[in-house]
Amino acid sequence: MPRIILLGAPGSGKGTQAVKLVEKLGIPQISTGDMLREARKNGTEMGKLASTYMDGGSLVPDEVVIGIVKERLGMKDLEKGFILDGFPRTIPQAMALDKVLEDLNIKLDHVVEIDVPFSMIVPRITGRRSCPECKRPFHISFLKPTVENHCDDCKVELIQRSDDTEEAVTQRLEAYQKQTKPLVEYYSEQKILRRVDGDGELEEVFSKIINILS
Ligand code: AMP
């Protein structure tokens, strides 16, 4: 029953690896980025607020994100485990998560840090595309669809995230360095941090993660 956090800079491949882990392990992915984008799409007050931070590449305030994760972690489908993707991203979020898990009487098994050199990140992010229906990730150079700019499964046109632009990426990397990187130390101290070199083929990185989990 793995309970996993995937940690890593934007563009490190967290989301892509999370989707593969969901397929392999049959446990849900909890992506705060996806949840916030969904709220934005639905035009909720929270979605509108989050949007102002997301578009500029800044982090959404802790209390907002902690609130949605708390609610999600209380749901029944997590009995077999879960993959947290993109949460926590700050020390207060990590502390809040510890508290929620303690209250639920469950423990984290692994925090997997996917490490990718910053120089690789901009081309990775700006070339990212995804299917608006099934959310399957693609890349214009590294993970090309069979038919240009169309989902292999749903056949619909792929989309690009509004914060996957070069300007927003710079801000997102800065936020990662300042606010999220300290979590490496936080989870090292808890002795559950495992580092994976993310500078490789998707399948290669995936098998390294699977090795850690087994
Ligand atoms: P992601 O899809 O994980 O790259 O997240 C996209 C954007 O959503 C981020 O750049 C933040 O603005 C916001 N976001 C997602 N997760 C969090 C989080 N745990 N804390 C704060 N902001 C977040």
Side-chain angles (χ1 to χ4, degrees):
M1 281 197 280
R3 300 190 182 98
I4 312 160
I5 292 178
L6 291 182
L7 196 64
S12 60
K14 292 187 304 293
T16 306
Q17 296 295 339
V19 170
K20 289 180 68 64
L21 286 169
V22 168
E23 269 172 31
K24 169 113 183 161
L25 306 174
I27 55 176
Q29 168 193 15
I30 303 176
S31 158
T32 41
D34 283 350
M35 288 154 106
L36 292 168
R37 278 185 288 277
E38 190 63 26
R40 177 171 63 184
K41 200 172 86 189
N42 294 337
T44 65
E45 283 310 310
M46 194 256 282
K48 283 183 208 154
L49 170 78
S51 190
T52 58
Y53 295 91
M54 293 165 81
D55 287 339
S58 317
L59 294 188
V60 173
D62 284 337
E63 59 274 19
V64 175
V65 193
I66 290 169
I68 58 176
V69 170
K70 252 190 198 165
E71 196 178 318
R72 181 67 185 90
L73 284 174
M75 294 183 186
K76 284 262 177 286
D77 62 329
L78 304 180
E79 276 153 11
K80 282 169 63 194
F82 53 79
I83 303 155
L84 276 169
D85 157 19
F87 181 93
R89 261 176 155 103
T90 64
I91 295 281
Q93 289 180 20
M95 292 169 75
L97 176 64
D98 282 348
K99 173 83 178 68
V100 176
L101 295 178
E102 196 185 313
D103 290 348
L104 292 169
N105 206 17
I106 53 180
K107 273 191 168 11
L108 285 172
D109 296 299
H110 307 279
V111 177
V112 180
E113 183 201 4
I114 308 180
D115 194 21
V116 172
F118 267 27
S119 60
M120 286 178 53
I121 286 179
V122 174
R124 272 197 183 200
I125 292 193
T126 51
R128 245 171 17 179
R129 302 289 183 273
S130 66
C131 173
E133 287 185 9
C134 71
K135 314 280 181 242
R136 184 170 160 180
F138 292 91
H139 191 282
I140 57 168
S141 314
F142 313 133
L143 197 59
K144 290 183 180 173
T146 315
V147 177
E148 197 184 333
N149 211 34
H150 285 76
C151 178
D152 288 357
D153 299 321
C154 311
K155 316 291 179 208
V156 296
E157 208 167 322
L158 302 179
I159 52 168
Q160 180 178 30
R161 269 170 54 171
S162 56
D163 60 346
D164 275 352
T165 58
E166 216 161 318
E167 308 78 69
V169 169
T170 311
Q171 180 60 36
R172 287 163 70 195
L173 287 176
E174 209 175 298
Y176 178 76
Q177 201 57 25
K178 277 201 194 129
Q179 294 169 274
T180 309
K181 197 73 188 174
L183 294 179
V184 169
E185 179 80 27
Y186 184 87
Y187 288 117
S188 296
E189 279 170 9
Q190 292 192 12
K191 308 216 179 321
I192 49 173
L193 185 90
R194 301 292 300 270
R195 193 188 149 276
V196 162
D197 184 0
D199 177 8
E201 291 292 320
L202 198 154
E203 291 299 335
E204 199 186 314
V205 178
F206 184 60
S207 51
K208 285 186 202 160
I209 297 176
I210 292 295
N211 275 342
I212 286 177
L213 304 183
S214 52

